[in-house]
Amino acid sequence: SPQAAPRVTTFSSPLPPPGSDGQLGHGDDQHLDLPRQVEALADLEIAAVVAGASHSFAITTDGKLYSWGAGQCGRLGHGDEESVKVPKKVDALERDKIEVRSVAGGAFHSLCLDQNGGVHGWGDGDGASLGLGLDHDQLSPMRYGKSLKVRLP
């Protein structure tokens, strides 16, 4: 029998701030006690979903990255610091023909691994979070030097 397509569902804990900044991806700041499908991802083939401190990611099977939630310090990778309440594609990665294989979200920064083992980082750049020696936030994904490469399985 045909297998049902996987669905992305989210819910929040009762700890504050429940669902604030839209990190659940439903277009609002509502707290949810039970999982609810993220409608903005319903028509996409999702390979992985990852949660950061107050932001979230989904990777499609063809390597597109979507992010949503709190945008402070540019941690969503959209080129600004705006919070996004529904999943939005990280256009800078697609424009550079980057296929994302994995992603991680810290408190105020994010990292991803591309199809060639390259590492990209964005977000809080004025501390040591990114390790890029910046004195400003990195609002869009930036590739680390070519010497930093991860072996892919």
Side-chain angles (χ1 to χ4, degrees), residues 12-32:
S12 58
S13 75
L15 300 174
S20 64
D21 292 316
Q23 70 257 37
L24 297 182
H26 299 295
D28 56 32
D29 294 334
Q30 183 179 352
H31 165 72
L32 296 176

Side-chain angles (χ1 to χ4, degrees), residues 79-131:
D80 57 33
E81 296 188 67
E82 298 297 316
S83 293
V84 176
K85 296 182 184 214
V86 293
K88 179 179 176 182
K89 190 186 311 174
V90 180
D91 290 327
L93 292 168
E94 185 176 34
R95 186 174 48 248
D96 293 339
K97 300 189 182 341
I98 302 298
E99 294 177 19
V100 175
R101 295 293 182 246
S102 65
V103 66
F108 293 98
H109 69 290
S110 305
L111 300 168
C112 77
L113 179 65
D114 71 27
Q115 73 273 24
N116 299 311
V119 180
H120 306 258
W122 60 97
D124 186 8
D126 55 1
S129 298
L130 290 176

Side-chain angles (χ1 to χ4, degrees), residues 25-48:
H26 299 295
D28 56 32
D29 294 334
Q30 183 179 352
H31 165 72
L32 296 176
D33 292 322
L34 298 172
R36 186 170 95 197
Q37 183 173 2
V38 179
E39 293 299 329
L41 300 173
D43 293 332
L44 300 173
E45 290 185 42
I46 302 299

